[in-house]
Amino acid sequence: RIDERGVRMGYGDEQITPNNFTVRPLSSPRGSANVSPIAVGSTGVFVARDGCTICKIGPSESGAFYLSSSMLRKHRDLGRPGVSALACTQHPDQRIFAIREDGVLLHCLFAPEEQIEGWGRRYTDGKFRGVAVRPASGEDVVTFHVERELGGSTRHYLERMSSITITDQAEINRMDCATRVEGAGMTTITGADRFNGKSVSVWADGKPHRDKTVSGGSFALDFPADVVWYGLPFNSDIQTTMLAYG
């Protein structure tokens, strides 16, 4: 683990060259952990040397130097027991993803121009082990490495986060480890062996369908459908700020 150092040019507006720079310690004592930092717009995001605190660093108002600060100062325990990986999207909005050592996913909507830093936690029937972001047309693609206990064994999956924008109602798939099946007038879904004994969420032709328990690698639909998504369910909880009453 290392301390923070700043690289500066020699004089005035000269460019940094191999022979014209100085390295000086920054005023912050935060240091950094052995986790690759990321650039979110013009802001750098890194894990401090305690391994649990996610920090940001950027230019001061005058632009003369850089300042770092904790992004978790209002919820200091959010990064415990430790952060092992960072990634971010740039489009359609800036979102930061952090993998905790206990397999929990942290995510943050980051819009400094609007003074927004909204953190949340994401749990799944398994453990998040890694995250990667790939630039793509219209919307960055987020992929997670997830470890799950399914079918009586430990399995590792690469799971892609579904698109924020859905233009085809039949493609709604707000569930984990989701699978898509297509066919004319299907009444039974097969090939779901990894979910044996588990309850799965089901969307059929863009309509909500009651949860089903997989047995023998299959489950029956309550009505015929041409496009079916099924996967592990999850609950979403939100805690709003206090309302101001006149």
Side-chain angles (χ1 to χ4, degrees):
R1 296 179 179 181
I2 59 175
D3 295 325
E4 298 170 44
R5 303 275 173 166
V7 178
R8 300 182 181 181
M9 52 197 163
Y11 303 95
D13 294 330
E14 297 178 9
Q15 295 181 344
I16 294 178
T17 69
N19 300 317
N20 182 29
F21 71 92
T22 58
V23 179
R24 298 178 181 176
L26 298 180
S27 58
S28 169
R30 302 180 190 281
S32 58
N34 189 25
V35 178
S36 296
I38 55 175
V40 189
S42 60
T43 302
V45 176
F46 64 98
V47 180
R49 66 167 173 251
D50 66 359
C52 304
T53 305
I54 300 174
C55 301
K56 60 182 178 181
I57 186 169
S60 62
E61 291 185 5
S62 64
F65 52 90
Y66 284 83
L67 295 174
S68 66
S69 61
S70 170
M71 299 182 72
L72 304 181
R73 58 189 176 276
K74 294 184 179 180
H75 21 67
R76 300 180 185 275
D77 293 332
L78 196 60
R80 298 185 184 280
V83 177
S84 58
L86 293 172
C88 69
T89 62
Q90 305 288 353
H91 300 285
D93 47 34
Q94 294 178 339
R95 288 176 291 158
I96 299 170
F97 299 94
I99 304 296
R100 276 194 346 203
E101 293 176 356
D102 60 356
V104 174
L105 171 66
L106 307 179
H107 52 92
C108 173
L109 177 61
F110 185 65
E113 68 281 1
E114 300 178 28
Q115 298 182 332
I116 294 176
E117 288 183 21
W119 284 96
R121 281 169 288 199
R122 176 70 185 274
Y123 300 89
T124 187
D125 186 3
K127 296 180 179 180
F128 291 96
R129 293 305 190 191
V131 57
V133 175
R134 176 175 59 85
S137 176
E139 185 176 324
D140 293 346
V141 176
V142 184
T143 303
F144 298 103
H145 168 202
V146 187
E147 176 186 309
R148 301 188 184 279
E149 295 290 335
L150 292 176
S153 61
T154 300
R155 305 187 182 193
H156 294 263
Y157 295 91
L158 293 179
E159 301 183 19
R160 175 175 170 173
M161 178 175 284
S162 58
S163 174
I164 296 176
T165 304
I166 295 180
T167 56
D168 185 352
Q169 186 173 343
E171 300 303 330
I172 294 177
N173 56 94
R174 297 302 192 233
M175 57 196 78
D176 287 346
C177 202
T179 298
R180 182 183 187 275
V181 182
E182 183 175 357
M186 295 180 295
T187 57
T188 300
I189 303 300
T190 60
D193 301 80
R194 69 183 186 278
F195 293 133
N196 275 334
K198 285 189 172 291
S199 177
V200 294
S201 292
V202 182
W203 282 81
D205 289 339
K207 303 180 184 68
H209 188 291
R210 68 187 179 97
D211 291 357
K212 287 288 187 174
T213 299
V214 179
S215 177
S218 65
F219 60 90
L221 298 176
D222 293 345
F223 52 85
D226 297 335
V227 177
V228 174
W229 282 91
Y230 65 92
L232 298 173
F234 61 86
N235 296 321
S236 298
D237 299 316
I238 183 172
Q239 182 175 347
T240 64
T241 56
M242 295 292 291
L243 299 177
Y245 295 94

PDB file of all heavy atoms in Angstrom, residues 7 55-56 64 97 112 123 128 136 146 168 193 195 201 245:
ATOM      1  N   VAL A   7       2.636  14.655  -9.140  1.00  0.00           N
ATOM      2  CA  VAL A   7       3.673  14.946 -10.132  1.00  0.00           C
ATOM      3  C   VAL A   7       3.380  16.317 -10.723  1.00  0.00           C
ATOM      4  O   VAL A   7       2.283  16.553 -11.243  1.00  0.00           O
ATOM      5  CB  VAL A   7       3.703  13.873 -11.245  1.00  0.00           C
ATOM      6  CG1 VAL A   7       4.753  14.227 -12.290  1.00  0.00           C
ATOM      7  CG2 VAL A   7       3.980  12.505 -10.650  1.00  0.00           C
ATOM      8  N   CYS A  55     -12.588   6.782  -1.874  1.00  0.00           N
ATOM      9  CA  CYS A  55     -12.283   8.210  -1.898  1.00  0.00           C
ATOM     10  C   CYS A  55     -12.321   8.744  -3.325  1.00  0.00           C
ATOM     11  O   CYS A  55     -12.216   7.990  -4.293  1.00  0.00           O
ATOM     12  CB  CYS A  55     -10.903   8.482  -1.296  1.00  0.00           C
ATOM     13  SG  CYS A  55     -10.703   7.929   0.407  1.00  0.00           S
ATOM     14  N   LYS A  56     -12.443  10.048  -3.428  1.00  0.00           N
ATOM     15  CA  LYS A  56     -12.365  10.714  -4.720  1.00  0.00           C
ATOM     16  C   LYS A  56     -11.278  11.780  -4.649  1.00  0.00           C
ATOM     17  O   LYS A  56     -10.977  12.326  -3.588  1.00  0.00           O
ATOM     18  CB  LYS A  56     -13.710  11.346  -5.091  1.00  0.00           C
ATOM     19  CG  LYS A  56     -14.202  12.400  -4.110  1.00  0.00           C
ATOM     20  CD  LYS A  56     -15.571  12.941  -4.513  1.00  0.00           C
ATOM     21  CE  LYS A  56     -16.075  13.964  -3.478  1.00  0.00           C
ATOM     22  NZ  LYS A  56     -17.411  14.497  -3.834  1.00  0.00           N
ATOM     23  N   ALA A  64      -5.089  24.809  -8.791  1.00  0.00           N
ATOM     24  CA  ALA A  64      -3.659  24.838  -8.483  1.00  0.00           C
ATOM     25  C   ALA A  64      -3.168  23.532  -7.871  1.00  0.00           C
ATOM     26  O   ALA A  64      -1.980  23.227  -7.917  1.00  0.00           O
ATOM     27  CB  ALA A  64      -3.348  26.000  -7.544  1.00  0.00           C
ATOM     28  N   PHE A  97     -19.344   1.165  -9.434  1.00  0.00           N
ATOM     29  CA  PHE A  97     -19.598  -0.157  -8.870  1.00  0.00           C
ATOM     30  C   PHE A  97     -18.379  -0.581  -8.054  1.00  0.00           C
ATOM     31  O   PHE A  97     -17.241  -0.441  -8.512  1.00  0.00           O
ATOM     32  CB  PHE A  97     -19.865  -1.178  -9.974  1.00  0.00           C
ATOM     33  CG  PHE A  97     -21.062  -0.867 -10.820  1.00  0.00           C
ATOM     34  CD1 PHE A  97     -20.925  -0.163 -12.005  1.00  0.00           C
ATOM     35  CD2 PHE A  97     -22.328  -1.261 -10.428  1.00  0.00           C
ATOM     36  CE1 PHE A  97     -22.022   0.140 -12.789  1.00  0.00           C
ATOM     37  CE2 PHE A  97     -23.439  -0.969 -11.202  1.00  0.00           C
ATOM     38  CZ  PHE A  97     -23.288  -0.262 -12.387  1.00  0.00           C
ATOM     39  N   PRO A 112     -21.577  14.877  -9.894  1.00  0.00           N
ATOM     40  CA  PRO A 112     -21.065  15.991  -9.085  1.00  0.00           C
ATOM     41  C   PRO A 112     -21.594  17.345  -9.505  1.00  0.00           C
ATOM     42  O   PRO A 112     -21.746  18.236  -8.669  1.00  0.00           O
ATOM     43  CB  PRO A 112     -19.545  15.890  -9.264  1.00  0.00           C
ATOM     44  CG  PRO A 112     -19.346  15.078 -10.503  1.00  0.00           C
ATOM     45  CD  PRO A 112     -20.502  14.143 -10.579  1.00  0.00           C
ATOM     46  N   TYR A 123     -27.621  -7.195  -2.985  1.00  0.00           N
ATOM     47  CA  TYR A 123     -27.408  -8.570  -2.563  1.00  0.00           C
ATOM     48  C   TYR A 123     -27.994  -9.507  -3.621  1.00  0.00           C
ATOM     49  O   TYR A 123     -28.937  -9.152  -4.341  1.00  0.00           O
ATOM     50  CB  TYR A 123     -28.078  -8.845  -1.219  1.00  0.00           C
ATOM     51  CG  TYR A 123     -27.582  -7.969  -0.088  1.00  0.00           C
ATOM     52  CD1 TYR A 123     -28.187  -6.738   0.180  1.00  0.00           C
ATOM     53  CD2 TYR A 123     -26.511  -8.364   0.704  1.00  0.00           C
ATOM     54  CE1 TYR A 123     -27.741  -5.928   1.218  1.00  0.00           C
ATOM     55  CE2 TYR A 123     -26.053  -7.570   1.749  1.00  0.00           C
ATOM     56  CZ  TYR A 123     -26.668  -6.354   1.998  1.00  0.00           C
ATOM     57  OH  TYR A 123     -26.222  -5.559   3.023  1.00  0.00           O
ATOM     58  N   PHE A 128     -20.953 -11.551  -5.375  1.00  0.00           N
ATOM     59  CA  PHE A 128     -20.295 -10.830  -6.457  1.00  0.00           C
ATOM     60  C   PHE A 128     -18.786 -10.923  -6.245  1.00  0.00           C
ATOM     61  O   PHE A 128     -18.282 -10.629  -5.161  1.00  0.00           O
ATOM     62  CB  PHE A 128     -20.727  -9.365  -6.472  1.00  0.00           C
ATOM     63  CG  PHE A 128     -22.160  -9.145  -6.866  1.00  0.00           C
ATOM     64  CD1 PHE A 128     -23.152  -9.007  -5.898  1.00  0.00           C
ATOM     65  CD2 PHE A 128     -22.526  -9.079  -8.202  1.00  0.00           C
ATOM     66  CE1 PHE A 128     -24.470  -8.808  -6.253  1.00  0.00           C
ATOM     67  CE2 PHE A 128     -23.848  -8.876  -8.571  1.00  0.00           C
ATOM     68  CZ  PHE A 128     -24.825  -8.739  -7.591  1.00  0.00           C
ATOM     69  N   ALA A 136     -20.039   0.909 -25.095  1.00  0.00           N
ATOM     70  CA  ALA A 136     -20.872   0.437 -26.196  1.00  0.00           C
ATOM     71  C   ALA A 136     -21.733   1.591 -26.687  1.00  0.00           C
ATOM     72  O   ALA A 136     -21.855   2.623 -26.033  1.00  0.00           O
ATOM     73  CB  ALA A 136     -21.749  -0.735 -25.759  1.00  0.00           C
ATOM     74  N   VAL A 146     -20.086 -13.657 -10.839  1.00  0.00           N
ATOM     75  CA  VAL A 146     -20.896 -14.029  -9.680  1.00  0.00           C
ATOM     76  C   VAL A 146     -20.665 -15.490  -9.333  1.00  0.00           C
ATOM     77  O   VAL A 146     -20.670 -16.364 -10.210  1.00  0.00           O
ATOM     78  CB  VAL A 146     -22.398 -13.790  -9.948  1.00  0.00           C
ATOM     79  CG1 VAL A 146     -23.202 -14.029  -8.676  1.00  0.00           C
ATOM     80  CG2 VAL A 146     -22.647 -12.374 -10.461  1.00  0.00           C
ATOM     81  N   ASP A 168     -38.763  -2.860 -25.886  1.00  0.00           N
ATOM     82  CA  ASP A 168     -39.645  -3.991 -26.203  1.00  0.00           C
ATOM     83  C   ASP A 168     -40.122  -4.593 -24.887  1.00  0.00           C
ATOM     84  O   ASP A 168     -39.337  -5.149 -24.117  1.00  0.00           O
ATOM     85  CB  ASP A 168     -38.891  -5.029 -27.030  1.00  0.00           C
ATOM     86  CG  ASP A 168     -39.785  -6.174 -27.489  1.00  0.00           C
ATOM     87  OD1 ASP A 168     -40.951  -6.229 -27.045  1.00  0.00           O
ATOM     88  OD2 ASP A 168     -39.322  -7.012 -28.279  1.00  0.00           O
ATOM     89  N   ASP A 193     -32.169 -26.916 -15.291  1.00  0.00           N
ATOM     90  CA  ASP A 193     -31.662 -27.862 -14.292  1.00  0.00           C
ATOM     91  C   ASP A 193     -30.910 -27.178 -13.156  1.00  0.00           C
ATOM     92  O   ASP A 193     -30.970 -27.630 -12.006  1.00  0.00           O
ATOM     93  CB  ASP A 193     -30.740 -28.885 -14.972  1.00  0.00           C
ATOM     94  CG  ASP A 193     -31.460 -29.648 -16.065  1.00  0.00           C
ATOM     95  OD1 ASP A 193     -31.605 -29.100 -17.179  1.00  0.00           O
ATOM     96  OD2 ASP A 193     -31.896 -30.777 -15.812  1.00  0.00           O
ATOM     97  N   PHE A 195     -31.512 -24.615 -11.600  1.00  0.00           N
ATOM     98  CA  PHE A 195     -32.419 -24.024 -10.622  1.00  0.00           C
ATOM     99  C   PHE A 195     -33.285 -25.061  -9.904  1.00  0.00           C
ATOM    100  O   PHE A 195     -34.249 -24.693  -9.230  1.00  0.00           O
ATOM    101  CB  PHE A 195     -33.337 -23.001 -11.294  1.00  0.00           C
ATOM    102  CG  PHE A 195     -32.627 -21.778 -11.797  1.00  0.00           C
ATOM    103  CD1 PHE A 195     -32.870 -21.298 -13.075  1.00  0.00           C
ATOM    104  CD2 PHE A 195     -31.737 -21.093 -10.990  1.00  0.00           C
ATOM    105  CE1 PHE A 195     -32.227 -20.159 -13.537  1.00  0.00           C
ATOM    106  CE2 PHE A 195     -31.083 -19.963 -11.443  1.00  0.00           C
ATOM    107  CZ  PHE A 195     -31.325 -19.495 -12.717  1.00  0.00           C
ATOM    108  N   SER A 201     -38.388 -16.263 -10.601  1.00  0.00           N
ATOM    109  CA  SER A 201     -39.297 -15.245 -11.135  1.00  0.00           C
ATOM    110  C   SER A 201     -39.488 -15.493 -12.624  1.00  0.00           C
ATOM    111  O   SER A 201     -38.568 -15.944 -13.310  1.00  0.00           O
ATOM    112  CB  SER A 201     -38.730 -13.842 -10.911  1.00  0.00           C
ATOM    113  OG  SER A 201     -38.720 -13.513  -9.547  1.00  0.00           O
ATOM    114  N   TYR A 245     -42.084  19.277   6.426  1.00  0.00           N
ATOM    115  CA  TYR A 245     -43.475  19.700   6.545  1.00  0.00           C
ATOM    116  C   TYR A 245     -43.523  21.171   6.944  1.00  0.00           C
ATOM    117  O   TYR A 245     -42.774  21.623   7.803  1.00  0.00           O
ATOM    118  CB  TYR A 245     -44.208  18.852   7.585  1.00  0.00           C
ATOM    119  CG  TYR A 245     -44.332  17.401   7.193  1.00  0.00           C
ATOM    120  CD1 TYR A 245     -43.399  16.458   7.622  1.00  0.00           C
ATOM    121  CD2 TYR A 245     -45.363  16.967   6.354  1.00  0.00           C
ATOM    122  CE1 TYR A 245     -43.502  15.107   7.259  1.00  0.00           C
ATOM    123  CE2 TYR A 245     -45.487  15.641   5.993  1.00  0.00           C
ATOM    124  CZ  TYR A 245     -44.557  14.735   6.454  1.00  0.00           C
ATOM    125  OH  TYR A 245     -44.653  13.409   6.084  1.00  0.00           O
TER     126      TYR A 245
END
